[in-house]
Amino acid sequence: MAQAPSILILEDVDSTNAEARRRAEADQTGPLWIVARRQGEGRGRRGREWVSETGNLYATLLTTTHKAPAEAAQITFVAALAVADLICTFVPAPLITIKWPNDVMIEADKAAGILVESGAHETGGLWLAVGIGVNLAHAPSGAERPATAIGGHLKGEVRAAPTVAEAIEVLARHFAIWMDRWDTLGFEPIRDAWVARSRGLDQACTARLGHETVSGIADGVAADGSLRLKLADGSMRLISAGDVFFGADATGKAA
């Protein structure tokens, strides 16, 4: 198994991904978990603001890899599985699903998001910043998509949502397990485990791709992690990135 990452908990930072980038550009290689109790400039996908209330988890794993960029991007599936395992520690497992590619949901509401950034490292290969935000105690109001928090769905034997320190220990442990599995066995077992926890992969689906919007029926996940989308003419489109809406939300409403 690879070296276990250290955990650094900061009181306040602009964003944990930004801090990871600074450290990578200063030749740090990790692995290191950077955690903030507060973020002033938290970001989600496509530059969206990530509301950062105190009491929730904001963490980034800084690490390096010599995988090709397309393969390295599969770490987002590793992260989604680790976050699902974190939430399962405190919330009944049947309530938890993953929405392509990496939103972790509790009863169809978003409980966590993941943002992976990367760049060339001075020592060779790529640095990766795997940013993870998990709503532990609070769900942001006014979010683009319906949100929830672990604290509202606790198992009967669990009395309170985890603290930041408790949550990062659980997340780091599960992330290491999935990371080791990916490194030793490849992407297929990661994809299979991800699919087992996903929803919407056989439903109507609309993908907003920036320059176009395409609709069809979701037809599973390709070998590289792309979403397979079967169009009305029977052709297959592979979606590697974009805003994706499933089922009743495939008209483009928030999902």
Side-chain angles (χ1 to χ4, degrees), residues 50-70:
W50 184 272
V51 178
S52 302
E53 297 184 66
T54 302
N56 290 340
L57 178 65
Y58 316 109
T60 296
L61 174 65
L62 170 62
T63 189
T64 53
T65 182
H66 287 279
K67 296 179 186 290

Side-chain angles (χ1 to χ4, degrees), residues 73-123:
Q74 295 168 356
I75 200 170
T76 192
F77 293 86
V78 172
L81 289 167
V83 171
D85 283 345
L86 161 64
I87 297 176
C88 276
T89 304
F90 304 96
V91 174
L95 302 184
I96 301 161
T97 56
I98 304 173
K99 176 181 164 295
W100 189 91
N102 55 28
D103 286 342
V104 184
M105 323 289 282
I106 302 176
E107 291 193 308
D109 291 337
K110 186 171 178 176
I114 296 163
L115 175 65
V116 178
E117 298 179 299
S118 64
H121 200 280
E122 286 294 328
T123 61

Side-chain angles (χ1 to χ4, degrees), residues 11-18 22 36-43 48-54 58:
E11 287 300 314
D12 204 342
V13 74
D14 50 356
S15 102
T16 56
N17 266 34
R22 287 189 289 267
R37 297 189 187 278
R38 292 182 300 276
Q39 289 189 126
E41 301 174 20
R43 292 177 293 113
R48 298 182 180 118
E49 178 186 10
W50 184 272
V51 178
S52 302
E53 297 184 66
T54 302
Y58 316 109

Side-chain angles (χ1 to χ4, degrees), residues 23-251:
R23 288 171 179 262
E25 291 176 348
D27 292 344
Q28 292 188 34
T29 59
L32 172 68
W33 280 103
I34 302 166
V35 183
R37 297 189 187 278
R38 292 182 300 276
Q39 289 189 126
E41 301 174 20
R43 292 177 293 113
R45 288 184 300 127
R46 298 176 180 263
R48 298 182 180 118
E49 178 186 10
W50 184 272
V51 178
S52 302
E53 297 184 66
T54 302
N56 290 340
L57 178 65
Y58 316 109
T60 296
L61 174 65
L62 170 62
T63 189
T64 53
T65 182
H66 287 279
K67 296 179 186 290
E71 184 182 5
Q74 295 168 356
I75 200 170
T76 192
F77 293 86
V78 172
L81 289 167
V83 171
D85 283 345
L86 161 64
I87 297 176
C88 276
T89 304
F90 304 96
V91 174
L95 302 184
I96 301 161
T97 56
I98 304 173
K99 176 181 164 295
W100 189 91
N102 55 28
D103 286 342
V104 184
M105 323 289 282
I106 302 176
E107 291 193 308
D109 291 337
K110 186 171 178 176
I114 296 163
L115 175 65
V116 178
E117 298 179 299
S118 64
H121 200 280
E122 286 294 328
T123 61
L126 296 172
W127 59 262
L128 300 174
V130 186
I132 296 172
V134 184
N135 299 333
L136 303 179
H138 313 288
S141 58
E144 182 189 26
R145 300 184 177 192
T148 191
I150 287 175
H153 306 272
L154 299 175
K155 296 177 180 178
E157 70 275 16
V158 179
R159 299 304 178 195
T163 65
V164 170
E166 290 168 341
I168 188 57
E169 291 286 349
V170 176
L171 176 62
R173 183 170 67 252
H174 285 291
F175 200 109
I177 292 169
W178 288 110
M179 191 79 163
D180 185 61
R181 196 165 299 171
W182 181 43
D183 285 339
T184 56
L185 300 176
F187 183 58
E188 185 175 358
I190 303 301
R191 183 187 61 179
D192 290 348
W194 184 96
V195 167
R197 278 189 152 147
S198 68
R199 69 179 184 95
L201 292 182
D202 57 355
Q203 300 178 20
C205 176
T206 293
R208 294 179 185 166
L209 307 179
H211 61 288
E212 64 175 327
T213 298
V214 293
S215 297
I217 302 295
D219 189 42
V221 176
D224 65 352
S226 299
L227 178 68
R228 292 165 49 90
L229 184 62
K230 188 173 183 180
L231 306 183
D233 63 4
S235 62
M236 193 68 67
R237 182 79 176 266
L238 294 181
I239 308 298
S240 59
D243 285 329
V244 176
F245 306 87
F246 292 99
D249 297 308
T251 55

